[in-house]
Amino acid sequence: MAQKSNKRYGAWIIVGVILVGLAGFGTGGLSGNIRSIGTVGEKEVSVAAYQRALNEQIRALSAQFGQQISFQQAQAFGIDQMALSQVVLLRTLDNEASTLGLSVGDERVFEQLQSTPDFQGAGGFNRETYRLALQQSGQSAAEYEANIREETARALLQGAVIGGVPAPDAYADALVQYIGEGRSITWATVTQDALTAPVPGPTDEAIQTYYDENPAEFTLPETRDITYVWLTPAMIRDQMTVSDEAVTQLYEQRIDEFMQPERRLVERLVYLSQDRAAEAMTQLEAGEVTFEDLVAERGLALADVDLGDVDQAELGAAGEAAFAANPGDVVGPFNASLGPALFRVNAVLAAQETPLDDAAPMLRDELATEAARDFINDQADSMIDLIAGGASMADLAERTDMELGTIAWTPDNAEGIAAYDNFRDQAAVVQEGQFPELYDLSDGGIFALNLDGITPPTLQPLDAVGEDVAAAWQIQRRQQAVMEKAAEIAADILPFTGFDTLGLTAQTEDALTRRSFVEGTPPAFNETVFAMSVGDVEVLDAENRAIIVRLDGVSAPDLTEESIIAQRDAVGTNAGSGIAQDIFDAYVSRLQQETGQNLNQATINAVNAQFQ
């Protein structure tokens, strides 16, 4: 029987997966007596621990894909091996901690129990709540408390391994110096307007040569001739009945969307300390700096401090002052979630009230679309049955609400049904004679398809594309002429030559860093600039023009600037964490090599079988 899916899977499969996830292990494992899948050193690897790890991995993968993943699908991603490796690793660390005599006392265990929200009652930790929670999870108090001791011992062991890793200050300093180093440049664009003579047209020989050297430009892509049927909510939305009561209920549920209070467009500039924020506000009020200057001083752009439109409550302590300010005013400093901050009000947005009558058409359309999705989902099973019974695409179109269509599909085709990613994915892999299946579309629609034939990539004859070849040759030759002209101009540029004396419109960039982007320049622009020496002049190809750039100066970063200090600290912290993790990974790898493992594959297979 054909399955529907993204592929659509039948509801009984999902129910089966859910029932399997709820059944079995927490109450005694496979038969009630088998509780271990093997040992690592002197530690048993429990069936329950492996089962929990599998469940967690499958849930995580399901969340990633946005739908319930079956165990067979999870196995295809190696989830069972990942779960097994996880529990074996933990027991390896438990075994080593036990060998070293690492443990914690009852007082530490009780402290953790007291701080666990699931075990709290009206007056704090509640033993009855604790007992019931463990009963529901299939664990005894002894097992749970033993897990706490082992987790804490593992944390002590990890801390001992990585606790002595020094901060990589030299690395952080070098990287920040590299990242923050600046360049001052002068650059200009050279276009075909600079050419003193027209580029001659191509000869027949030049056209033939260009055609022979660039066949990919004139080759039609592989074309897949596909017959399909599809049904989307938009196709049947007008057939859905939506009551006035449903529209009113939806309006009331989303009343905050239609009755919006007065709002403000606000920018927020956060500082590391209250004193620095107050100092900045003083400078601003004295007219010594602008808000833009303060933003640039922090190494930020206005887009980085833009909060968008907010209401008074969203601004917290700054709300009252901001809503009393006029556009352009700066208020503060006020404490924000990230620290003391200045707030600039850019615009006042009046309250917006959309009555039910005005909102009704949009809400009715939304409800009709949702009803159409439900209708399609309800009809999907009967369509699967028709496919399983041998119905052709034409049969499906005749016997259901689905519409029949054909398409000569290529990867460049993104119109109609080909605008959907899932259709393009299936169109790219479907084979001739393949049994059709039902697939989902992103808007709640469905489709099925057949491959009728494939036309391989075909080089078009020169007679058919002669004009295109001539035009392509002309573009290439014109760009060559522009590059030659730019090189000629660049030869006359010295360190102090004014670009305007050579007929160029110059632009300058100061403190350009490796992370900067200069609009209007090709991708290799920064790389080229940072490979140059002061006074060097380079010419870069920018597709339909040329770029001339001169390096005027090199500057070191200001290591006392707050943003540089913060960046250095972040680099050092990240690098230190990475080094510590590498050391711990190496330690664990060696530990696993030295710790004996005895795993019962038959038991592991039996655990896996319970998920199928």
Side-chain angles (χ1 to χ4, degrees):
M1 179 176 180
Q3 291 178 331
K4 54 176 181 171
S5 90
N6 221 21
K7 304 176 181 176
R8 296 175 61 100
Y9 289 89
W12 61 273
I13 295 180
I14 297 177
V15 172
V17 170
I18 295 174
L19 291 177
V20 166
L22 296 175
F25 289 102
T27 58
L30 303 172
S31 66
N33 297 318
I34 301 175
R35 304 182 61 83
S36 169
I37 63 171
T39 59
V40 177
E42 300 299 323
K43 296 290 185 179
E44 283 193 346
V45 182
S46 71
V47 165
Y50 176 54
Q51 181 263 344
R52 282 195 298 271
L54 272 175
N55 272 331
E56 290 170 2
Q57 294 281 3
I58 292 174
R59 279 198 297 269
L61 188 64
S62 297
Q64 180 180 344
F65 281 93
Q67 65 179 26
Q68 181 63 43
I69 299 299
S70 70
F71 182 72
Q72 290 83 355
Q73 291 173 302
Q75 270 191 315
F77 285 97
I79 291 300
D80 55 333
Q81 293 302 311
M82 292 170 62
L84 182 61
S85 297
Q86 177 184 332
V87 295
V88 167
L89 169 60
L90 293 179
R91 295 310 271 166
T92 301
L93 294 172
D94 291 340
N95 184 74
E96 181 67 7
S98 178
T99 300
L100 296 174
L102 295 177
S103 185
V104 294
D106 292 342
E107 183 177 351
R108 181 69 176 274
V109 172
F110 187 60
E111 288 177 358
Q112 185 157 340
L113 293 178
Q114 285 182 306
S115 63
T116 303
D118 291 343
F119 304 151
Q120 305 303 305
F125 175 73
N126 186 288
R127 290 190 177 277
E128 182 62 18
T129 303
Y130 173 50
R131 184 188 67 79
L132 290 174
L134 293 183
Q135 184 179 13
Q136 291 174 356
S137 67
Q139 298 180 79
S140 68
E143 290 173 330
Y144 185 78
E145 291 166 17
N147 285 337
I148 292 178
R149 296 180 197 277
E150 289 176 337
E151 287 175 5
T152 308
R154 286 198 300 269
L156 292 172
L157 177 60
Q158 182 173 7
V161 173
I162 68 176
V165 177
D169 293 336
Y171 170 81
D173 289 339
L175 189 57
V176 167
Q177 287 273 5
Y178 178 81
I179 293 173
E181 193 176 54
R183 296 291 188 271
S184 297
I185 62 171
T186 303
W187 67 283
T189 298
V190 178
T191 67
Q192 62 179 345
D193 294 338
L195 300 179
T196 57
V199 176
T203 63
D204 291 343
E205 182 181 357
I207 291 175
Q208 183 66 56
T209 300
Y210 189 92
Y211 176 80
D212 293 339
E213 292 178 351
N214 301 278
E217 292 186 32
F218 311 106
T219 298
L220 295 175
E222 176 184 275
T223 301
R224 291 174 150 246
D225 295 318
I226 291 172
T227 299
Y228 63 90
V229 287
W230 65 325
L231 180 61
T232 69
M235 293 177 182
I236 57 174
R237 180 173 53 212
D238 294 341
Q239 303 173 29
M240 301 295 110
T241 300
V242 177
S243 68
D244 292 339
E245 291 78 7
V247 173
T248 301
Q249 183 179 5
L250 182 58
Y251 176 81
E252 292 172 351
Q253 289 173 356
R254 291 164 51 182
I255 192 66
D256 290 343
E257 177 182 334
F258 301 109
M259 296 295 175
Q260 293 187 359
E262 190 174 287
R263 300 171 74 81
R264 296 289 187 273
L265 292 180
V266 177
E267 293 164 332
R268 179 187 63 191
L269 181 59
V270 180
Y271 285 88
L272 299 178
S273 69
Q274 183 73 24
D275 290 344
R276 182 66 192 94
E279 179 185 346
M281 188 63 184
T282 300
Q283 291 178 301
L284 195 63
E285 290 175 336
E288 299 173 2
V289 296
T290 65
F291 188 79
E292 287 79 0
D293 293 336
L294 294 175
V295 172
E297 182 182 280
R298 296 298 314 280
L300 302 171
L302 288 177
D304 299 325
V305 300
D306 186 17
L307 294 181
D309 61 295
V310 293
D311 61 30
Q312 185 168 337
E314 289 175 294
L315 291 174
E320 184 175 351
F323 270 66
N326 295 316
D329 289 351
V330 178
V331 298
F334 293 101
N335 286 325
S337 57
L338 300 177
L342 304 183
F343 296 81
R344 180 166 74 171
V345 178
N346 289 318
V348 175
L349 302 180
Q352 294 183 358
E353 297 185 1
T354 305
L356 174 59
D357 289 345
D358 292 343
M362 178 190 71
L363 296 177
R364 190 178 302 278
D365 191 61
E366 288 184 19
L367 290 169
T369 299
E370 188 60 34
R373 290 193 187 101
D374 292 340
F375 175 83
I376 291 171
N377 193 58
D378 292 341
Q379 295 298 311
D381 285 332
S382 62
M383 296 175 184
I384 287 176
D385 291 340
L386 289 173
I387 292 174
S392 66
M393 297 295 104
D395 293 335
L396 286 170
E398 181 179 348
R399 300 170 64 179
T400 72
D401 291 311
M402 302 184 83
E403 295 184 4
L404 183 69
T406 60
I407 184 172
W409 184 81
T410 72
D412 296 329
N413 192 336
E415 297 180 357
I417 192 173
Y420 292 88
D421 289 340
N422 202 31
F423 177 83
R424 292 198 299 272
D425 291 343
Q426 297 304 325
V429 299
V430 65
Q431 300 296 315
E432 288 190 71
Q434 178 178 317
F435 196 81
E437 299 179 56
L438 203 62
Y439 299 96
D440 285 326
L441 293 170
S442 58
D443 60 358
I446 53 177
F447 74 97
L449 75 169
N450 277 331
L451 178 64
D452 302 323
I454 296 177
T455 302
T458 304
L459 176 61
Q460 302 174 85
L462 180 57
D463 291 345
V465 293
E467 292 184 3
D468 294 336
V469 176
W473 180 93
Q474 191 78 18
I475 291 171
Q476 182 190 70
R477 183 65 192 91
R478 185 182 300 118
Q479 180 62 6
Q480 289 175 354
V482 169
M483 289 293 292
E484 291 166 1
K485 182 61 176 179
E488 178 185 326
I489 296 172
D492 293 330
I493 296 177
L494 299 175
F496 297 104
T497 301
F499 277 37
D500 56 338
T501 64
L502 299 174
L504 299 175
T505 301
Q507 300 184 61
T508 60
E509 304 289 342
D510 294 319
L512 183 72
T513 70
R514 287 178 169 84
R515 292 180 172 181
S516 299
F517 171 74
V518 180
E519 187 174 356
T521 61
F525 185 76
N526 269 25
E527 181 181 349
T528 300
V529 167
F530 277 83
M532 295 166 62
S533 300
V534 174
D536 285 353
V537 179
E538 294 286 348
V539 177
L540 289 80
D541 190 330
E543 294 186 2
N544 60 349
R545 63 199 189 287
I547 301 293
I548 299 176
V549 58
R550 181 182 65 199
L551 180 61
D552 298 325
V554 175
S555 61
D558 180 3
L559 299 181
T560 64
E561 203 276 321
E562 288 185 6
S563 64
I564 298 295
I565 294 172
Q567 188 178 61
R568 180 194 177 283
D569 292 343
V571 168
T573 299
N574 291 338
S577 298
I579 293 171
Q581 187 61 52
D582 290 343
I583 291 173
F584 187 69
D585 290 344
Y587 169 76
V588 169
S589 178
R590 183 57 181 266
L591 201 60
Q592 288 185 300
Q593 293 175 15
E594 296 175 349
T595 304
Q597 298 180 11
N598 183 17
L599 301 177
N600 188 325
Q601 189 59 48
T603 303
I604 294 171
N605 293 341
V607 174
N608 293 344
Q610 300 297 313
F611 283 82
Q612 299 180 18

